[in-house]
Amino acid sequence: MPKNNGSHEHLDITVEVFRTSVTTIEKAEFLLEKLQREFPSCDINFDLEDCDHILRVATKHNRIDPSHILRLVKSHNESIEPLPDIVPTIIESRQ
C-alpha cells in the first residue's frame, strides 16, 4: 500500500460564480442540461437556496469563457452576472 508522504498533487481548478434570476428547480435542471452539453468537462451546479441563486462552474482542464455562459443563460430569459473574486482578509489578534 503506498504511503502518503504529505505531498499533494497540484490541482489548477478554475471556478466561476454567477448571480442568477433562476428560482425553480425545473429551470435550473433545464439550464444545467444546456450548460453541461456546452461544457462537458466542467462541474456545474446551482444553489437556489442562496439569496443570489448562485450558478457555479468549475473545471480542472481549461479556462472558462464566462461570456459564453452569460449568453447561454440570458438566451433562456434569465438574468445572470458574474460575482467578483473576493479574497478574505485574515486579521490576526495581537495579545
Side-chain angles (χ1 to χ4, degrees):
M1 178 180 286
K3 288 184 181 179
N4 181 352
N5 62 5
S7 66
H8 298 280
E9 181 181 330
H10 177 69
L11 295 177
D12 188 19
I13 299 174
T14 301
V15 180
E16 295 289 341
V17 182
F18 303 89
R19 173 184 296 130
T20 75
S21 62
V22 177
T23 58
T24 67
I25 292 172
E26 293 80 13
K27 188 66 174 249
E29 288 174 347
F30 172 82
L31 289 170
L32 280 173
E33 180 184 326
K34 302 287 184 193
L35 289 162
Q36 288 171 334
R37 190 175 304 139
E38 292 293 320
F39 303 95
S41 65
C42 293
D43 181 22
I44 305 169
N45 64 66
F46 276 95
D47 181 355
L48 299 182
E49 292 181 12
D50 185 277
C51 65
D52 289 323
H53 312 290
I54 296 296
L55 168 64
R56 286 184 199 85
V57 182
T59 184
K60 295 180 216 172
H61 305 289
N62 302 314
R63 299 289 303 160
I64 299 169
D65 180 5
S67 64
H68 189 77
I69 296 166
L70 294 169
R71 278 192 303 274
L72 191 149
V73 173
K74 287 178 180 179
S75 74
H76 294 285
N77 301 317
E78 295 292 343
S79 65
I80 181 171
E81 63 182 276
L83 290 178
D85 292 336
I86 298 175
V87 178
T89 304
I90 298 173
I91 301 173
E92 294 182 25
S93 65
R94 299 182 189 253
Q95 296 182 14

